[in-house]
Amino acid sequence: SPGEFIPVAEQSGLISQVDDRVRTIVWDFLRTYDIRMAGIDHISVNLSAVECTQPSIIRTIEEEAEEAGVERGTLHFEITETMAITSRGTLAERMERMQRMGYCFHLDDYGTGYAGITNLISLPFSVVKLDKSILNLAESTEKGKMVKSMIAPFHDCQIKVVCEGVE
């Protein structure tokens, strides 16, 4: 699972190569298939902590998009909650620049770290993905109300919320 191999790739210094390969596959797919004809408006890929801190990441992604000839809005980037709170300043600047270029960002695994909602609202996320562990907690009526109240501020800020694990 990614929970097992991603930390190994990060520790070994191979995560950038994994990320590059994943993006290459996705750009090729987007170039080959009209996903909108299938009712899909975007594909999301993770942007690792290592990539987010590299000054060249914006230029790299823009070059990949130009080479693929793909509309920017069809590729979204997911950033983990941990990354969002540990590199907020650098991340905010890069996200805002990429957002102006037409990219969207999803906050992945929300609820697994220590991010306060005020910290996260300051970053330009268009989607928040609640970790599937929160869905399990929401099965009881009382805790379900708590999860609903946790989601409301995101909706108030026009941020979509997705619950992982509903499948």
Side-chain angles (χ1 to χ4, degrees), residues 2 6 18-20 22-23 44-49 51-52 75-80 106 108-109 129 164:
I6 295 295
V18 171
D19 290 338
D20 289 345
V22 168
R23 280 197 316 273
S44 299
V45 297
N46 283 63
L47 199 57
S48 72
E51 281 190 305
C52 286
L75 183 64
H76 291 196
F77 294 100
E78 294 185 10
I79 297 171
T80 63
H106 300 204
D108 196 15
D109 300 331
K129 293 175 62 182
E164 294 181 331

Side-chain angles (χ1 to χ4, degrees), residues 3-148:
E4 294 176 36
F5 77 82
I6 295 295
V8 172
E10 288 176 334
Q11 291 170 358
S12 67
L14 296 173
I15 192 65
S16 291
Q17 290 154 313
V18 171
D19 290 338
D20 289 345
R21 182 66 185 136
V22 168
R23 280 197 316 273
T24 297
I25 291 168
V26 173
W27 287 124
D28 287 345
F29 181 81
L30 289 170
R31 178 180 31 240
T32 305
Y33 299 99
D34 184 357
I35 62 171
R36 293 199 167 126
M37 291 294 289
I40 300 169
D41 66 354
H42 72 273
I43 293 179
S44 299
V45 297
N46 283 63
L47 199 57
S48 72
V50 171
E51 281 190 305
C52 286
T53 59
Q54 293 177 350
S56 63
I57 189 61
I58 296 172
R59 183 175 26 86
T60 299
I61 290 171
E62 192 59 9
E63 288 171 359
E64 292 169 355
E66 286 179 26
E67 184 178 317
V70 174
E71 184 182 335
R72 273 55 166 179
T74 57
L75 183 64
H76 291 196
F77 294 100
E78 294 185 10
I79 297 171
T80 63
E81 179 182 26
T82 303
M83 179 61 203
I85 60 173
T86 58
S87 301
R88 203 175 74 137
T90 302
L91 184 60
E93 182 269 328
R94 292 200 176 116
M95 286 174 69
E96 287 167 6
R97 282 183 53 201
M98 289 178 70
Q99 188 179 42
R100 285 191 300 271
M101 297 162 65
Y103 296 101
C104 294
F105 291 90
H106 300 204
L107 177 63
D108 196 15
D109 300 331
Y110 183 74
T112 60
Y114 302 101
I117 197 163
T118 54
N119 290 336
L120 300 176
I121 288 175
S122 66
L123 294 170
F125 289 108
S126 57
V127 176
V128 170
K129 293 175 62 182
L130 298 180
D131 188 73
K132 61 185 170 186
S133 62
I134 292 175
L135 185 65
N136 297 337
L137 293 173
E139 290 178 354
S140 74
T141 303
E142 285 181 23
K143 293 191 180 182
K145 288 178 184 176
M146 204 148 94
V147 171
K148 185 177 178 180

